[in-house]
Amino acid sequence: MTDARYGLIEAGGTKFVLGVADETGTLHARERIPTKTPAETLGAAVNWFAAQGADYAGFGIASFGPLDLDPASPQFGCVRPTPKPHWSGANLIARFQERFGVPVAVDTDVNGAALAEALWGAGKGLGSVLYLTIGTGIGGGFCSDGHLLRGLSHPEMGHIRMPRHPEDLDFAGTCPFHGDCLEGLACGPAVIARWGQSLSQLPEGHPGKRIIAWYIGRALATFQTIMEPARIVLGGGVTATDGLLDLIRAEALVANGGYTVGRIDKLITAPGLGDNAGLLGALALALR
Ligand code: ZN
């Protein structure tokens, strides 16, 4: 063990969580700041890390997307065009490189989480983990033997096209690009756009949970056949809804024709890392 410290950033749409950890994952400091403009938020983050007085070996940033992760691109480490105000084109890494002069790793929050769950969480020792978050948006990362699935950039698993649930044919979906893609049908804002409440607030017997589980279960059956992960870990506010995980497992089993019968409960699970998953994802990125 060394005294090296890593600066960790979990960059989210409403807040940035900052942390200082050693290589074992022990957190020595933690802070959260609101997401405002890039200049305000990244500037405040740099100042906070400087004030901790640590000797940093590197930084890890696990961020909302979409991100430019092509090492040959002049915009590497920048946020790609996004509906989120102020953040299109924002460079996430430059300020940290300039101020601290150490390597800065950046990837999506879901790629960080996939790596962290594979190293220390629900997928420890299994070799391959698909991590999906279903909350404000939907995104996925796939880690196989320590490698993250990537093409020109990170995967966009939330934007696959879906069949329509027979009781849900009229809803146009909330994705600004596709309307009724998976994210446009099953993310938190899509639930509220249809029914005016989150899934956990809907009354007993309301079809909402059943319909959302139907979409997620079908998407998981698709991802499972393409990637054959040893574990599918579901994070995010929507999947934390009481009882939803079991409904999703049942729908995934139907959707894949019983192909995973007998192992569905172990195949599809909740995250193993709890509240620190985002920061541990950033650490996993920094340690690579
Ligand atoms: Zn979409």
Side-chain angles (χ1 to χ4, degrees):
M1 199 182 296
T2 72
D3 292 332
R5 295 286 186 266
Y6 293 87
L8 312 177
I9 299 119
E10 179 189 359
T14 56
K15 66 179 192 297
F16 272 45
V17 183
L18 314 175
V20 178
D22 60 38
E23 63 193 14
T24 68
T26 301
L27 278 172
H28 298 271
R30 182 185 164 108
E31 178 66 292
R32 52 189 284 175
I33 58 177
T35 305
K36 297 178 181 171
T37 66
E40 289 173 292
T41 306
L42 295 170
V46 165
N47 290 339
W48 183 82
F49 283 111
Q52 303 310 304
D55 185 13
Y56 295 106
F59 281 77
I61 304 175
S63 177
F64 64 87
L67 303 174
D68 188 331
L69 297 177
D70 178 1
S73 166
Q75 272 81 47
F76 176 78
C78 294
V79 179
R80 285 162 55 208
T82 168
K84 187 168 177 46
H86 313 300
W87 286 82
S88 291
N91 190 319
L92 297 176
I93 60 179
R95 284 176 174 82
F96 298 97
Q97 286 173 329
E98 285 160 13
R99 178 68 176 262
F100 300 102
V102 294
V104 180
V106 63
D107 214 314
T108 58
D109 44 9
V110 284
N111 269 347
L115 208 49
E117 288 288 345
L119 281 171
W120 305 301
K124 187 178 176 182
L126 295 179
S128 56
V129 172
L130 170 63
Y131 181 92
L132 278 172
T133 183
I134 300 165
T136 309
I138 296 181
F142 179 54
C143 177
S144 176
D145 289 332
H147 297 283
L148 291 168
L149 179 67
R150 179 180 297 166
L152 275 180
S153 191
H154 52 84
E156 289 283 7
M157 298 184 203
H159 295 280
I160 61 169
R161 307 317 303 247
M162 297 297 300
R164 295 298 297 258
H165 188 285
E167 297 167 46
D168 188 44
L169 298 176
D170 296 331
F171 179 59
T174 58
C175 176
F177 300 101
H178 316 112
D180 60 351
C181 63
L182 174 62
E183 178 174 295
L185 289 169
C187 71
V191 170
I192 291 176
R194 281 193 201 78
W195 302 305
Q197 291 174 305
S198 70
L199 281 191
S200 54
Q201 293 169 321
L202 294 176
E204 196 68 31
H206 189 282
K209 276 189 195 178
R210 202 162 39 75
I211 290 172
I212 296 302
W214 189 93
Y215 286 119
I216 298 171
R218 267 148 195 78
L220 295 190
T222 298
F223 296 140
Q224 189 250 330
T225 52
I226 295 172
M227 292 169 248
E228 272 297 349
R231 196 71 99 227
I232 298 174
V233 180
L234 297 182
V238 171
T239 36
T241 305
D242 200 28
L244 195 70
L245 190 57
D246 282 333
L247 289 175
I248 291 170
R249 287 174 176 141
E251 291 292 350
L253 199 54
V254 170
N256 68 23
Y259 187 63
T260 46
V261 71
R263 61 187 178 100
I264 197 77
D265 289 355
K266 286 185 175 172
L267 177 66
I268 302 173
T269 70
L273 295 175
D275 284 348
N276 288 327
L279 286 180
L280 288 173
L283 177 63
L285 295 171
L287 289 173
R288 295 179 86 206

